[in-house]
């Protein structure tokens, strides 16, 4: 009996040892908190040279798709274009059913792109979680009816319960930061069928000396005020701190009351590579590293080999990215890849 007991104890010890020494990368990414996994996104996925139709972008397997928006008073609506501030130049078609996703005229506004997304969503229940990254090229234009509340209304009207909202993360916590640090994120598997909208300030906005209220600060202030009014459920997007910086990059915001409303961080992968990114992982923050191909040693930004792209994903996962992005639109096996963040792959 004693020998049997000793054998059982020894076997149990081996089992425990095996559990605690199992490498992190062996974990099922689906069972990890959403920011604790690393996926792959496509830069400027609305451009026709990248994907003929936005439905192709949605079908690609990518974990992040990007839209550039223009809001200035010289054009109508929320325009989707890279370099035309007055009109639409994109692969969206304003579909109303699956048959129209690749059979209508392109160059639609944001509402048209969201219609494509909703039609695709309805046809693909339980699809992978997808970050919709919106770069507001020239910022919000509240005086033209294109401010944070108007954007939320459009997103909600088009995507409804397909959105994972700030209120979903906050729950009973006081703000996004408290919720993230408390481990309130759902698992990747629980995020199936959801879109998360991320907002960053745009290149024109950031270079405009007369714009003193950038997208990130304006939307975070709006979130804070919605929470205070008991209306956080109306918010449809997460503002991101744009560009990597040492320490806590939220200290750039002189109004400390908006800092807890940032749990998304977005910047150049090469800049993040020089930082101690464990700070983000320890706090369960979401980190999007752009221009992944430029990290040394640089690889092709559009057509690397599949192995080169997978190696880059593994490298930046170790550096605590939640998403990496480049222009690898043709590498579908890589675009659909997901690994554990922070693990040696």
């Amino acid at each position: 009996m004693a020998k049997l007991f000793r054998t059982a104890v020894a076997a149990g010890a081996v089992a425990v040892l095996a559990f605690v020494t199992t490498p992190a990368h062996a974990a099922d990414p689906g069972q990890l908190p959403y920011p604790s996994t690393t996926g792959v996104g496509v830069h400027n996925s609305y451009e026709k040279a990248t994907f003929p139709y936005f439905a192709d972008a949605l079908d690609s397997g990518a974990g992040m798709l990007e839209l550039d928006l223009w809001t200035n008073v010289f054009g109508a609506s929320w325009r989707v274009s890279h370099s035309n501030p007055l009109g639409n130049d994109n692969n969206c078609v304003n579909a109303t059913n699956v048959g129209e996703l690749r059979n209508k005229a392109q160059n639609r506004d944001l509402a048209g792109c969201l219609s494509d997304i909703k039609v695709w969503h309805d046809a693909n229940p339980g699809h992978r979680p997808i970050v919709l990254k919106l770069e507001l090229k020239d910022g919000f234009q509240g005086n033209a009816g294109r401010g944070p509340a108007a954007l939320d209304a459009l997103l909600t009207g088009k995507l409804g319960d397909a959105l994972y909202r700030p209120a979903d993360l906050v729950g009973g916590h006081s703000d996004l930061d408290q919720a993230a640090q408390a481990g309130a994120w759902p698992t990747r598997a629980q995020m199936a069928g959801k879109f998360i909208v991320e907002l960053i300030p745009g290149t024109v906005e950031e270079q405009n000396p007369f714009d003193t209220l950038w997208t990130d600060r304006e939307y975070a202030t709006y979130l804070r005020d919605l929470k205070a009014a008991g209306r956080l459920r109306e918010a449809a997007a997460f503002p991101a701190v744009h560009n990597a910086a040492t320490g806590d990059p939220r200290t750039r915001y002189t109004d400390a009351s908006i800092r807890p409303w940032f749990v998304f961080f977005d910047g150049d992968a090469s800049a993040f590579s020089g930082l101690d990114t464990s700070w983000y992982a320890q706090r369960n923050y979401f980190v999007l590293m752009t221009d992944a191909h430029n990290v040394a040693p640089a690889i092709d930004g559009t057509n690397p080999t599949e192995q080169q792209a997978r190696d880059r994903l593994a490298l930046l996962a170790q550096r605590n990215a939640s998403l990496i992005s480049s222009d690898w639109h043709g590498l579908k096996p890589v675009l659909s890849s997901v690994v554990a963040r922070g693990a040696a792959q």
Side-chain angles (χ1 to χ4, degrees):
M1 178 65 71
K3 180 177 181 182
L4 180 60
F5 176 76
R6 289 193 300 271
T7 301
V9 170
V14 170
V16 170
L17 182 62
F19 176 79
V20 300
T21 58
T22 297
H25 68 270
D28 174 8
Q31 302 309 309
L32 295 173
Y34 182 53
S36 299
T37 61
T38 310
V40 184
V42 178
H43 172 244
N44 287 354
S45 37
Y46 63 89
E47 292 196 286
K48 294 185 282 287
T50 303
F51 294 105
Y53 294 94
F54 202 75
D56 298 319
L58 292 162
D59 279 342
S60 72
M64 184 279 288
L65 301 173
E66 184 176 1
L67 296 168
D68 286 350
L69 304 183
W70 295 88
T71 64
N72 61 72
V73 298
F74 302 106
S77 186
W78 304 81
R79 279 141 280 148
V80 179
S81 169
H82 181 63
S83 55
N84 180 1
L86 305 181
N88 295 290
D89 184 5
N90 58 70
N91 55 14
C92 301
V93 301
N94 193 30
T96 59
N97 58 65
V98 172
E100 292 181 345
L101 283 172
R102 296 175 176 84
N103 285 296
K104 291 180 71 176
Q106 300 157 310
N107 304 322
R108 305 303 181 113
D109 64 7
L110 177 60
C113 293
L114 294 174
S115 292
D116 291 359
I117 293 168
K118 183 59 164 63
V119 167
W120 182 89
H121 164 79
D122 289 343
N124 293 273
H127 59 77
R128 70 198 182 280
I130 302 174
V131 170
L132 299 175
K133 177 178 174 178
L134 306 184
E135 178 186 338
L136 276 74
K137 300 292 283 188
D138 50 357
F140 285 114
Q141 296 290 334
N143 59 355
R146 292 187 278 277
L151 178 61
D152 282 347
L154 178 58
L155 291 168
T156 297
K158 290 292 186 178
L159 298 181
D161 61 8
L163 291 168
Y164 182 79
R165 300 171 178 272
D168 295 324
L169 178 57
V170 169
H173 300 283
S174 61
D175 51 52
L176 289 173
D177 183 78
Q178 186 184 88
Q181 295 208 46
W185 285 101
T187 65
R188 170 172 281 274
Q190 291 169 333
M191 288 287 288
K194 293 292 185 180
F195 296 98
I196 300 183
V197 178
E198 176 205 357
L199 305 179
I200 65 167
T203 51
V204 173
E205 178 179 37
E206 291 178 329
Q207 296 169 13
N208 181 357
F210 302 105
D211 189 337
T212 59
L213 185 60
W214 291 1
T215 296
D216 50 348
R217 185 159 62 90
E218 184 169 358
Y219 198 85
T221 302
Y222 167 75
L223 284 181
R224 180 203 63 193
D225 294 346
L226 281 182
K227 180 64 164 63
R231 296 166 45 207
L232 185 61
R233 192 71 197 167
E234 296 175 18
F238 291 78
V241 179
H242 193 216
N243 296 321
T246 56
D248 184 346
R250 296 171 299 186
T251 58
R252 70 183 64 172
Y253 305 112
T254 55
D255 183 351
S257 70
I258 68 171
R259 295 174 189 171
W261 293 99
F262 291 95
V263 294
F264 272 68
F265 299 82
D266 186 309
D268 187 272
S270 296
F272 273 115
S273 296
L275 305 178
D276 177 10
T277 55
S278 64
W279 182 85
Y280 299 95
Q282 291 163 2
R283 290 162 176 77
N284 303 313
Y285 295 153
F286 195 100
V287 180
L288 200 164
M289 298 187 184
T290 61
D291 289 331
H293 56 282
N294 282 336
V295 173
I299 61 176
D300 193 275
T302 305
N303 295 303
T305 67
E306 181 175 330
Q307 190 58 53
Q308 286 176 324
R310 289 191 182 280
D311 289 345
R312 185 52 43 89
L313 170 61
L315 175 65
L316 296 182
Q318 286 181 265
R319 295 179 181 176
N320 294 303
S322 304
L323 271 169
I324 68 170
S325 71
S326 192
D327 293 296
W328 303 331
H329 54 87
L331 290 177
K332 287 188 177 182
V334 177
L335 296 182
S336 59
S337 297
V338 179
V339 299
R341 173 164 82 169
Q345 306 299 323

